[in-house]
Amino acid sequence: MRRRALWLGVLGLAAGISLYGKKANGEKKSQFSTPLAGNQKILHALNRLTFGPRPGELEDVERMGLKKWIDRQLHPDRIPENPLLEAKLAPLDTLRMTSAELARNYPPPQLIKAMAEGKIPYPSDPEKRMMVEKAVRRYKSKQGQNGDGKPTLENVGLTDEQQRILRRGTPEEKLKVFDGLLDEQKDEVLEAMPQGARIGLFSAAPAELRRKIQKSAGPQAVITQDLTEAKLLRAIYSDRQLEEVLTDFWYNHFNVFLNKDVDTYLVTGYERDAIRPHALGKFHDLLVATAQSPAMLYYLDNWVSIGPDSIAAGVKPGQPAKPNTPNKGLNENYARELMELHTLGVNGGYTQADVTQVARVFTGWTFQPPQQAQSIGFLFDPKKHEPGPKTVLGHTIKEDGMNEGMEVLEMLSRSPATANFVCTKLAKRFVNDDPPAALVKQMAATFLSSDGDTREVLRTMFHSKEFWSPAIYRKKVKTPLEFVASALRATGTDVQNPGAAVQALAKMGMPLYQMAPPTGYSTAAEVWMNSDALLDRLNFSVALTSGGQNGLKFDPLRVLTLGLLTRAPKEEIVPVNTAGGSDAAVVLIEDALIGGETSKSTNEAIHKEINDPQIAAHLSDDPGKALGTIIGLALGSPEFQLR
């Protein structure tokens, strides 16, 4: 398949990006003396501060003025939220629940067991009750009990033809049968449908029915689905784009793995209440919010850490600590990641002794699990806290209970090593995989002088000559999230059901919220530049623009009317199914999606694909399909992988 030529072009780009990253800091300062000009400057800002430009957005920024637009993005509270986004998020009720409410409405196995045994009542909401009843039946089945008897398609009053369609029909056929059922039948039929059949119906279902199907799949699956869909929807539709970019950045900086048991119920509140409110605020406030979050306390095991000389360890109050007490019960996971990944960095000047001392400082920082509490939040347990003074980075921390941890967080958040480490990571996200040392130094100075104000640090970056240099223009490789979001934004695709796009991200190696190591997902090119992941990107692009992604309503003609090609006079647009039409369309689409900056090899590969006699014979009869093919190839091109 000629599409392989584009794929090989992407792989060639990978090598070039890798070399660029290694040599950037070694180049002369003169590379930053000439700034970007005109539309390139606006396009650069849209690529770095957002999840990619939308149709007509370049012109909107040009009218507003780039400086004013950046200032608005730095103050998201001044930007009204997009009503379309709010409407798409509205059905996702778990996003607005506390962790305790999530546990009650979408119960974990412990509560399912309690409901099965009659110890606590079922939810009163009919849909949630159906979901829980199904989970209880599964539990009883595992225990060797029959429960209430699971319904099947054969015993819910369906004809043979209806059963056949619901099992093996197309998504649209399934939906037609389901819509024709009586209301009182629908819940039973959903429960009776095999999982594969439900998935098929889900892809064609409207929002309300999709919600019912989600709930029928099981409680915890709903929470995960809501989180992942919401992140993608916000990346695509939010007008507060810089806030979304930074929320994603800080989540990965303070990563928590969604699938670690109880964290399934804690991550929603973690991102909403600890990360998002502080995305553009003071680093110290963000550090404290993450340190006290039940999600972080559980993920890095601090909630079970016990001081070796504490009351919980069996030492009586006032009893002197024994010399060289073994660290039994002490967990160092959070202390280590706090210094290595959250603040100082691996070369930040701390030792193993500091890790142990910080771990002792944070003993007693815990929370109550969802199944044990009506309200889940941070809790300091003095019985678990290690008594006595501690020494951290040469500073003596006097015995003061919970305040010891606050003192350490204060010290770490204001350390020059932290300023350098955090600013380097920000520069890697917004500037270059190997950012200029001079720029990082400027940003770190602002970090220290502004008390870790992220907004001011970014302002320093955005005012620097390095940020606006041609040397970094279109040199950052998009992560899978950035790629998928930018493709859907650039084409004006109506995301009616983000499930397919979420699954595509997982296939590309980036299942949202599911990075198990505390490092979080990287933004470095070398992580994402591999053959399988890049071929998945091209396949996603072609599937999207050929109508092969259920729930993603792509219309190539709508792309044109939305203004993707507005910079070209209308009289220059030649019908695609006429002689020369496809060539003209390639030029216009490349200009719209990639700013007209495609390489000769990419341009030739696209032309070879659409001019292949076997393909051209089909495209000539369908101008919309022809446009879709060209757009899909442009999205999968090496150049579109860059921002």
Side-chain angles (χ1 to χ4, degrees):
M1 186 185 291
R2 294 184 184 273
R3 193 179 302 162
R4 184 174 174 82
L6 272 179
W7 171 45
L8 293 174
V10 176
L11 296 182
L13 174 71
I17 290 295
S18 178
L19 288 174
Y20 173 85
K22 291 177 181 178
K23 71 180 183 180
N25 259 343
E27 293 179 356
K28 296 179 180 179
K29 292 183 179 179
S30 60
Q31 67 173 318
F32 303 117
S33 59
T34 305
L36 293 169
N39 284 349
Q40 274 194 338
K41 197 169 185 179
I42 296 176
L43 187 59
H44 179 61
L46 287 170
N47 275 322
R48 297 299 173 93
L49 276 67
T50 79
F51 281 97
R54 290 180 294 191
E57 195 166 19
L58 187 147
E59 292 78 12
D60 290 343
V61 175
E62 190 174 27
R63 283 191 293 270
M64 179 183 293
L66 182 57
K67 183 177 179 181
K68 183 177 179 180
W69 179 83
I70 291 176
D71 189 63
R72 277 170 57 85
Q73 288 297 322
L74 285 168
H75 296 86
D77 55 304
R78 301 176 185 175
I79 304 174
E81 195 47 278
N82 186 346
L84 179 59
L85 172 63
E86 293 179 341
K88 289 182 180 294
L89 293 178
L92 312 183
D93 63 346
T94 68
L95 301 179
R96 297 175 289 279
M97 293 182 183
T98 66
S99 297
E101 289 170 336
L102 284 174
R104 290 195 294 271
N105 288 284
Y106 297 90
Q110 300 94 324
L111 291 187
I112 293 292
K113 179 176 181 291
M115 291 176 185
E117 295 171 351
K119 295 179 180 178
I120 60 174
Y122 284 55
S124 57
D125 177 81
E127 288 184 11
K128 294 186 177 70
R129 184 181 180 90
M130 179 187 71
M131 172 186 67
V132 170
E133 285 176 341
K134 185 173 182 179
V136 166
R137 272 193 290 271
R138 284 197 295 265
Y139 168 79
K140 288 184 175 181
S141 176
K142 289 180 180 178
Q143 302 302 311
Q145 304 173 36
N146 292 327
D148 300 332
K150 181 184 183 302
T152 66
L153 290 180
E154 288 79 9
N155 62 20
V156 290
L158 299 177
T159 67
D160 290 345
E161 179 64 8
Q162 286 174 322
Q163 293 176 42
R164 184 194 67 78
I165 292 174
L166 289 175
R167 282 195 174 96
R168 294 183 292 276
T170 66
E172 290 73 21
E173 289 171 339
K174 287 184 172 73
L175 181 60
K176 186 175 180 179
V177 167
F178 191 84
D179 283 344
L181 299 175
L182 298 173
D183 287 343
E184 54 266 28
Q185 279 184 290
K186 290 180 178 179
D187 286 348
E188 277 192 319
V189 169
L190 272 184
E191 188 174 355
M193 288 177 72
Q195 182 178 0
R198 277 202 309 272
I199 292 173
L201 176 61
F202 184 86
S203 64
E208 185 177 350
L209 177 54
R210 287 203 306 272
R211 195 64 179 166
K212 281 180 175 286
I213 297 171
Q214 285 177 328
K215 290 178 179 178
S216 71
Q220 292 177 307
V222 177
I223 298 171
T224 299
Q225 192 79 14
D226 283 4
L227 266 174
T228 54
E229 289 189 1
K231 179 178 274 290
L232 188 58
L233 288 170
R234 286 185 172 118
I236 297 165
Y237 289 106
S238 178
D239 292 328
R240 302 170 178 179
Q241 279 286 294
L242 182 57
E243 181 180 57
E244 294 307 321
V245 167
L246 284 168
T247 297
D248 182 62
F249 170 84
W250 288 123
Y251 187 94
N252 284 293
H253 183 82
F254 295 101
N255 183 55
V256 169
F257 178 44
L258 173 67
N259 291 343
K260 184 177 179 180
D261 302 323
V262 177
D263 267 322
T264 301
Y265 294 89
L266 303 177
V267 164
T268 299
Y270 177 61
E271 184 175 58
R272 181 190 63 218
D273 304 328
I275 302 289
R276 184 176 294 278
H278 304 293
L280 278 150
K282 297 292 183 73
F283 180 78
H284 171 264
D285 298 338
L286 177 59
L287 186 63
V288 172
T290 57
Q292 294 185 340
S293 169
M296 182 65 74
L297 291 164
Y298 186 81
Y299 173 55
L300 292 179
D301 305 309
N302 201 83
W303 76 296
V304 293
S305 186
I306 297 173
D309 297 310
S310 66
I311 296 172
V315 179
K316 295 180 180 179
Q319 180 178 328
K322 299 177 182 178
N324 303 317
T325 304
N327 290 326
K328 185 177 180 181
L330 190 69
N331 191 295
E332 297 183 351
N333 289 351
Y334 176 69
R336 181 173 293 103
E337 308 309 348
L338 171 64
M339 291 190 283
E340 179 179 331
L341 297 178
H342 299 172
T343 57
L344 304 175
V346 67
N347 298 313
Y350 64 90
T351 66
Q352 174 56 40
D354 290 315
V355 172
T356 301
Q357 290 293 295
V358 170
R360 290 175 176 241
V361 163
F362 283 98
T363 49
W365 285 49
T366 186
F367 74 103
Q368 286 185 303
Q371 62 269 27
Q372 298 177 11
Q374 291 298 309
S375 178
I376 302 165
F378 171 71
L379 172 70
F380 178 73
D381 185 350
K383 293 181 180 179
K384 292 183 178 180
H385 185 65
E386 176 72 359
K390 292 89 176 170
T391 302
V392 178
L393 299 172
H395 297 273
T396 298
I397 309 295
K398 296 180 180 179
E399 181 176 351
D400 195 14
M402 189 189 86
N403 291 330
E404 296 172 26
M406 298 300 289
E407 184 177 346
V408 167
L409 294 176
E410 177 91 9
M411 179 173 64
L412 292 175
S413 69
R414 288 166 173 77
S415 166
T418 296
N420 180 73
F421 179 67
V422 171
C423 290
T424 297
K425 284 194 70 172
L426 283 166
K428 284 182 176 181
R429 164 57 182 81
F430 287 96
V431 181
N432 187 279
D433 285 0
D434 186 15
L439 175 59
V440 173
K441 186 176 181 180
Q442 292 175 43
M443 294 166 63
T446 300
F447 185 101
L448 293 171
S449 65
S450 67
D451 194 24
D453 191 321
T454 299
R455 183 180 288 107
E456 294 307 313
V457 170
L458 291 178
R459 204 186 299 276
T460 294
M461 182 199 304
F462 299 150
H463 281 117
S464 71
K465 61 184 179 182
E466 290 90 348
F467 182 78
W468 301 106
S469 167
I472 69 165
Y473 179 64
R474 301 197 83 125
K475 294 294 195 302
K476 277 289 293 179
V477 172
K478 296 174 182 176
T479 67
L481 173 60
E482 291 164 352
F483 165 70
V484 169
S486 66
L488 296 173
R489 283 170 64 83
T491 56
T493 298
D494 180 10
V495 183
Q496 299 176 337
N497 174 10
V502 169
Q503 291 172 13
L505 284 172
K507 193 172 183 181
M508 293 175 198
M510 198 176 193
L512 298 176
Y513 301 99
Q514 294 177 53
M515 183 65 164
T519 52
Y521 285 115
S522 171
T523 62
E526 62 186 8
V527 175
W528 305 112
M529 283 290 164
N530 65 78
S531 57
D532 290 339
L534 292 170
L535 184 56
D536 286 336
R537 294 187 185 206
L538 180 54
N539 288 338
F540 171 81
S541 302
V542 174
L544 168 68
T545 56
S546 63
Q549 295 283 8
N550 288 318
L552 303 179
K553 192 175 181 181
F554 169 82
D555 181 353
L557 300 178
R558 181 171 178 267
V559 169
L560 296 177
T561 59
L562 281 172
L564 269 175
L565 311 179
T566 51
R567 281 182 283 172
K570 290 182 180 179
E571 59 268 24
E572 292 183 12
I573 301 179
V574 182
V576 181
N577 59 346
T578 63
S582 61
D583 289 346
V586 170
V587 172
L588 295 173
I589 289 169
E590 288 179 348
D591 183 61
L593 295 179
I594 313 170
E597 298 170 354
T598 50
S599 67
K600 182 179 178 181
S601 60
T602 294
N603 194 271
E604 289 177 349
I606 293 177
H607 278 85
K608 284 180 180 178
E609 176 80 10
I610 62 175
N611 291 329
D612 180 280
Q614 292 182 336
I615 297 174
H618 296 291
L619 297 184
S620 62
D621 298 328
D622 190 340
K625 187 175 182 180
L627 278 175
T629 298
I630 297 169
I631 294 169
L633 294 171
L635 293 176
S637 70
E639 288 79 5
F640 193 80
Q641 311 310 310
L642 298 172
R643 58 175 175 83

